[in-house]
Amino acid sequence: MKQIPMLDLKLEYEYMKTAVDDAIKKCLDHQRWILGPEVKELEDSIASYLGSKHCIGCCSGTDALTLSLRASSIKLRNEEYFSKTDKVITTSFTFTATGDAILRSGATPVFVDIDPVSFNMDTNQIEDYINSNKDVVGILPVHLYGQACNMDEIMRIAGEHNLFVIEDVAQAFGGGWKNSKLGSIGDTGAFSFFPSKNLGGFGDGGMISTNDDSIMELLRMLLRHGGKDKYNVDHIGYNARIDTLQAAIVLAKFKYIDEFNERRRHIAGTYSKNLSGISNLTLPHTGSLPEGHVYHQYTVRTSLRQKLQTYLKEKGVSTMVYYPFPLHKMKVFDGRSINHGQLTNAETATEEVLSLPMEPLQSDDTTKYITDTICNFFEDN
Ligand SMILES: Cc1ncc(COP(=O)(O)O)c(C=O)c1O
């Protein structure tokens, strides 16, 4: 039986083999493993792609978020960490790293509910919380599954209340909001090069984008032990640089990002066409700006999620549940976070969502096999 993975990184490597192998060979030749030339080249290339003034490479998407928050605290408060009374509004329906980074910066995460259609934070809920509570310092929107949050609304609210905005762009490299690239709109954008991301490396890696010179300087210090001179430091820093080798690989793969995002959109278009009209299956909503979505995941929802997932597995089709638990139900956030209201939409999403295979090099035949199998399931259920 045909086995269809969520993603086939080996296939992608073979497609880009010459570019990637050449990039690795160049590193082997120059041997400049820490902050070698590829790091700056990657930072400059991505800054220019995003239309951001600066990009700063780092170890992971998690570090990109933590460093962004720490730099904001130093800039705004002149303190190494936020205090517990400082609140950062985010979503409960995301990967744990989003909320963990807020805890690590010393602040308290405030979870607001999501919009059930886009799966992203409900901007009315953000405003609702701010209007009746004080001490909010920032907003951390996540462009989940590659779908842009409503950045007009988020930036308006942030502007009116003097809040910083850190975009979690881990799942949305190359995505857009109107005429801007995601990650270039807020005070900082935090990207992940985890291997399965739209732009993924061969290990961990990340990037922060910003237009703010002082934040850029703080970030560069924090990720190199906390100082301009690593033998005489100013801040409580980290060793969180991106490796030269990782930067070289990501740089080689970066040349394919627009092509690959286009391939994702093509697969998503076929899924949506072939699966339309099934009553117990809700398809992703692309909003009025379909060009903004880069389909890191193509995520459907159904009350028969478990049964459908088992059926697809029997037919050789892999699927994943992103995410089975909302952050506010995790032990780590217990007593360390605030829930704004019941977060019912986030909880229901964790019970109903199912992400389908999204390998950019997946053939049309494979996509059709997946949708035929889903249609067969719903004919009997
Ligand atoms: C939404 C989101 N935020 C943050 C991260 C953290 O990125 P990383 O795994 O590179 O630390 C991820 C990815 O795993 C993610 O999906």
Side-chain angles (χ1 to χ4, degrees):
M1 188 179 43
K2 207 169 162 138
Q3 291 297 325
I4 302 170
M6 285 296 289
L7 194 64
D8 188 344
L9 292 178
K10 198 148 188 278
L11 191 67
E12 292 185 28
Y13 167 59
E14 275 153 19
Y15 189 80
M16 305 173 187
K17 188 175 180 350
T18 310
V20 171
D21 287 1
D22 286 355
I24 294 173
K25 172 79 173 54
K26 247 169 95 183
C27 294
L28 291 171
D29 288 341
H30 68 54
Q31 293 283 321
R32 292 167 63 189
W33 301 116
I34 304 294
L35 298 178
E38 286 81 0
V39 173
K40 183 164 179 354
E41 209 186 317
L42 180 68
E43 290 176 343
D44 290 350
S45 304
I46 293 184
S48 138
Y49 177 84
L50 297 176
S52 279
K53 198 163 169 195
H54 310 287
C55 271
I56 301 107
C58 64
C59 266
S60 67
T62 305
D63 281 326
L65 290 165
T66 308
L67 290 161
S68 295
L69 287 154
R70 289 280 320 280
S72 303
S73 164
I74 297 169
K75 180 178 166 173
L76 300 174
R77 290 271 190 276
N78 207 17
E79 294 284 351
E80 292 293 315
Y81 297 93
F82 284 115
S83 69
K84 276 191 183 153
T85 50
D86 293 319
K87 296 168 189 159
V88 178
I89 297 181
T90 193
T91 168
S92 178
F93 190 56
T94 178
F95 182 56
T96 178
T98 312
D100 290 345
I102 299 173
L103 292 180
R104 240 175 277 128
S105 76
T108 297
V110 175
F111 297 122
V112 299
D113 210 356
I114 56 167
D115 162 29
V117 176
S118 70
F119 299 113
N120 284 327
M121 260 198 295
D122 179 345
T123 51
N124 293 323
Q125 292 295 313
I126 302 177
E127 202 154 30
D128 194 48
Y129 184 81
I130 294 170
N131 284 339
S132 45
N133 292 278
K134 49 187 184 53
D135 297 331
V136 176
V137 290
I139 308 175
L140 207 169
V142 181
H143 305 296
L144 198 74
Y145 304 145
Q147 161 97 306
C149 293
N150 184 336
M151 290 310 291
D152 287 352
E153 273 298 283
I154 289 171
M155 296 312 288
R156 178 189 64 75
I157 297 166
E160 284 175 10
H161 299 273
N162 198 22
L163 310 175
F164 65 77
V165 175
I166 294 172
E167 294 176 71
D168 184 336
V169 211
Q171 301 189 4
F173 196 103
W177 173 255
K178 299 193 173 165
N179 294 322
S180 301
K181 286 282 185 206
L182 300 180
S184 70
I185 306 166
D187 295 86
T188 63
F191 294 87
S192 164
F193 301 138
F194 185 83
S196 65
K197 298 301 192 225
N198 284 35
L199 179 59
F202 289 180
D204 283 311
M207 182 76 68
I208 307 152
S209 53
T210 184
N211 291 317
D212 183 323
D213 294 345
S214 60
I215 289 280
M216 181 274 290
E217 275 191 24
L218 285 166
L219 288 168
R220 288 213 183 279
M221 284 199 269
L222 287 174
L223 65 85
R224 297 179 201 177
H225 303 281
K228 285 184 182 145
D229 172 354
K230 74 172 176 178
Y231 299 116
N232 181 10
V233 304
D234 302 348
H235 298 290
I236 305 172
Y238 309 82
N239 180 359
R241 299 166 295 224
I242 189 169
D243 287 337
T244 304
L245 190 59
Q246 211 51 255
I249 292 162
V250 174
L251 190 59
K253 293 184 73 180
F254 173 61
K255 299 182 182 73
Y256 298 86
I257 187 67
D258 286 341
E259 176 195 331
F260 270 49
N261 279 342
E262 205 41 57
R263 286 174 177 274
R264 286 173 186 274
R265 289 192 186 107
H266 170 74
I267 294 165
T270 310
Y271 277 147
S272 292
K273 188 165 125 270
N274 295 357
L275 294 173
S276 68
I278 299 174
S279 60
N280 191 1
L281 188 75
T282 307
L283 305 179
H285 174 75
T286 54
S288 54
L289 296 161
E291 72 278 13
H293 205 322
V294 287
Y295 294 99
H296 175 58
Q297 301 298 340
Y298 184 94
T299 303
V300 297
R301 57 191 303 167
T302 171
S303 59
L304 299 177
R305 197 254 313 274
Q306 185 57 52
K307 214 171 160 193
L308 174 62
Q309 186 171 35
T310 307
Y311 180 84
L312 288 170
K313 193 173 173 204
E314 283 163 12
K315 304 288 175 195
V317 180
S318 307
T319 56
M320 288 291 286
V321 174
Y322 299 115
Y323 294 93
F325 300 101
L327 267 51
H328 66 277
K329 296 256 168 147
M330 293 184 191
K331 188 176 167 198
V332 64
F333 294 104
D334 193 13
R336 301 188 177 116
S337 63
I338 294 167
N339 297 345
H340 179 50
Q342 294 301 310
L343 310 179
T344 319
N345 293 334
E347 289 184 13
T348 311
T350 61
E351 289 157 14
E352 293 188 348
V353 290
L354 191 67
S355 298
L356 305 184
M358 183 45 84
E359 165 47 57
L361 297 173
Q362 176 175 307
S363 70
D364 287 345
D365 281 353
T366 297
T367 308
K368 186 166 180 313
Y369 174 79
I370 297 164
T371 55
D372 284 351
T373 311
I374 296 173
C375 290
N376 289 342
F377 171 83
F378 280 104
E379 269 167 26
D380 298 334
N381 285 280

